[in-house]
């Protein structure tokens, strides 16, 4: 599920209402009468409404996080959401692994997280974020077990880029970077544009910020060179995100096709489905292959940062699946 491409990016607002389902099996433990959700494109407008007491919860990002950290309603959650680049591998330039590897190597993920996002999001170490799942035998987190499979090396990137241009017989490459319209991904897209253009000679990046429906239409139709997306795991298992790159997956918009990757993922889902340790190794291997190929380029692990009326208690946050459960939500004081 694309997290950030819905009401939780830039404008999830909670207001008290009056209507509730009195026939719900546990209705006696549901405290709110109604929840109203509005989507407001401008985060600053949403924050103004929050501070005016007109709404009770709003998601924030970027500069708004830094400016509101002292607010008594400031809340930050880690999520199982990974932001990554996908490449259109039906096009010769992006079939070349050196192009993809060079782009990955010019991304300073730590600086991006600290200075551009500045919202509690962290640098990607792989596709699978911390906290998604642990080993059934050892209890070790998947992201920790996998280690950091990503690095920044501008000198190496330039070498790979020069080799790729020679192999492709080109001196210039215009890259269409498509994403969805939100404050967070706009800032990240602009950072990526600068990093690529400044370090990879002859590269020009154009950014397309699209309403979510238009973005999905473009990527599903192959109308892109690179896309940037934030994807939340629907369930707490690495396959929730690794499966996006399986050659037969409908969500494999860039048409990445690696028999070795497919074999590792298929083994995890079939042959070793009932052998936790073997399955764990399969999934680690699948991620290792994806990162070595740069079939997709992880960029950051997204946090969820919001302002919530301090008297609103009992909201449950989930790292995977739907972000919030309001069953136990209530106002105190």
């Amino acid at each position: 599920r694309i997290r950030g491409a819905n009401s939780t990016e830039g404008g999830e607002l909670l207001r008290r209402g009056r209507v509730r389902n009195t026939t719900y099996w546990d209705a006696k433990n549901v405290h709110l009468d109604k929840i109203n959700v509005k989507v407001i494109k401008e985060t600053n407008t949403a924050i103004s409404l929050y501070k005016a007491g007109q709404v009770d919860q709003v998601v924030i990002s970027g500069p708004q996080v830094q400016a509101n950290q002292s607010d008594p309603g400031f809340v930050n959650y880690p999520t199982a959401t990974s932001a990554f680049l996908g490449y259109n591998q039906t096009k010769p330039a992006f079939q070349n692994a050196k192009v993809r590897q060079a782009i990955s190597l010019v991304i300073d993920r730590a600086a991006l997280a600290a200075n551009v996002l500045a919202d509690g999001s962290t640098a990607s170490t792989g596709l699978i974020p911390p906290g998604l799942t642990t080993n059934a035998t050892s209890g070790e987190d998947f992201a920790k077990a996998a280690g950091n499979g990503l690095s920044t090396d501008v000198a190496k990137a330039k070498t790979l880029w020069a080799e790729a241009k020679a192999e492709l017989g080109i001196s210039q490459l215009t890259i269409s970077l498509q994403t969805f319209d939100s404050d967070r991904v706009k800032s990240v897209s602009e950072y990526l544009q600068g990093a690529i253009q400044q370090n990879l000679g002859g590269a020009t990046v154009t950014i397309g910020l699209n309403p979510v429906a238009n973005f999905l239409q473009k990527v599903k139709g192959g109308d892109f060179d690179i896309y940037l997306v934030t994807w939340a795991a629907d369930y707490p298992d690495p396959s929730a995100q690794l499966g996006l790159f399986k050659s037969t997956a409908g969500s494999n918009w860039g048409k990445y096709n690696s028999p070795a990757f497919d074999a590792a993922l298929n083994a995890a889902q079939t042959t070793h489905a009932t052998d936790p340790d073997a399955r764990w190794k399969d999934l680690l291997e699948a991620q290792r292959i994806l990162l070595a190929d740069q079939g997709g380029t992880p960029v950051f692990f997204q946090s969820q940062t919001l302002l919530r009326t301090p008297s609103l208690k009992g909201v449950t946050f989930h790292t995977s699946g739907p972000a919030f459960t309001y069953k136990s939500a209530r106002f105190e004081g």
Side-chain angles (χ1 to χ4, degrees), residues 269-286:
Q269 295 171 327
T270 57
T271 309
H272 297 145
T274 59
D275 184 339
D277 289 335
R279 184 174 186 275
W280 185 259
K281 292 177 182 177
D282 292 333
L283 294 168
L284 287 170
E285 176 65 3

Side-chain angles (χ1 to χ4, degrees), residues 119-148:
D119 62 356
S121 296
T122 58
S124 289
T125 55
L127 183 66
I128 308 305
L132 177 64
T133 191
T134 56
N135 184 290
T137 303
S138 68
E140 186 176 24
D141 183 85
F142 186 90
K144 182 178 179 181
N148 192 348

Side-chain angles (χ1 to χ4, degrees), residues 35 44 94 121 179:
I35 296 175
N44 287 334
F94 302 101
S121 296
T179 191

Side-chain angles (χ1 to χ4, degrees), residues 250-262:
S251 51
N252 183 7
W253 301 324
K255 309 305 180 187
Y256 172 63
N257 190 340
S258 165
F261 175 85
D262 282 357

Side-chain angles (χ1 to χ4, degrees), residues 20-28 30:
R20 59 182 299 181
N21 180 6
T22 56
T23 62
Y24 176 62
W25 74 272
D26 199 26
K28 65 181 181 180
V30 177

Side-chain angles (χ1 to χ4, degrees), residues 61-257:
S61 61
Q64 295 91 349
V65 174
Q66 300 174 61
N68 290 281
Q69 286 184 1
S70 61
D71 189 287
F74 181 86
V75 183
N76 182 273
Y77 298 108
T79 74
T81 301
S82 187
F84 57 87
L85 298 173
Y87 302 93
N88 190 339
Q89 297 189 40
T90 68
K91 299 186 176 184
F94 302 101
Q95 290 171 359
N96 190 304
K98 292 177 181 178
V99 168
R100 306 191 302 267
Q101 292 161 353
I103 289 171
S104 178
L105 287 167
V106 299
I107 303 171
D108 187 336
R109 293 168 176 81
L112 171 65
N115 303 324
V116 178
L117 291 164
D119 62 356
S121 296
T122 58
S124 289
T125 55
L127 183 66
I128 308 305
L132 177 64
T133 191
T134 56
N135 184 290
T137 303
S138 68
E140 186 176 24
D141 183 85
F142 186 90
K144 182 178 179 181
N148 192 348
L150 300 164
S151 61
T152 304
D153 189 334
V154 173
K156 183 177 180 181
K158 289 181 176 180
T159 298
L160 289 169
W161 184 251
E163 292 174 356
K165 287 194 296 182
E167 291 170 7
L168 293 164
I170 61 174
S171 59
Q172 308 285 327
L173 182 63
T174 299
I175 300 169
S176 168
L177 171 60
Q178 298 295 327
T179 191
F180 56 91
D181 190 7
S182 81
D183 293 342
R184 180 184 281 115
V185 297
K186 180 176 184 292
S187 298
V188 173
S189 297
E190 290 170 349
Y191 166 83
L192 294 170
Q193 179 186 51
I196 293 169
Q197 292 183 165
Q198 290 167 21
N199 295 299
L200 303 180
T204 301
V205 178
T206 62
I207 299 172
L209 292 174
N210 306 273
V212 174
N214 291 358
F215 168 70
L216 292 172
Q217 183 178 17
K218 281 190 174 184
V219 294
K220 289 177 180 180
D223 185 13
F224 68 94
D225 293 324
I226 302 177
Y227 65 81
L228 170 64
V229 72
T230 57
W231 198 284
D234 287 322
Y235 52 93
D237 187 83
S239 64
Q241 286 160 323
L242 290 170
L244 301 173
F245 293 93
K246 191 174 180 179
S247 62
T248 56
S251 51
N252 183 7
W253 301 324
K255 309 305 180 187
Y256 172 63
N257 190 340

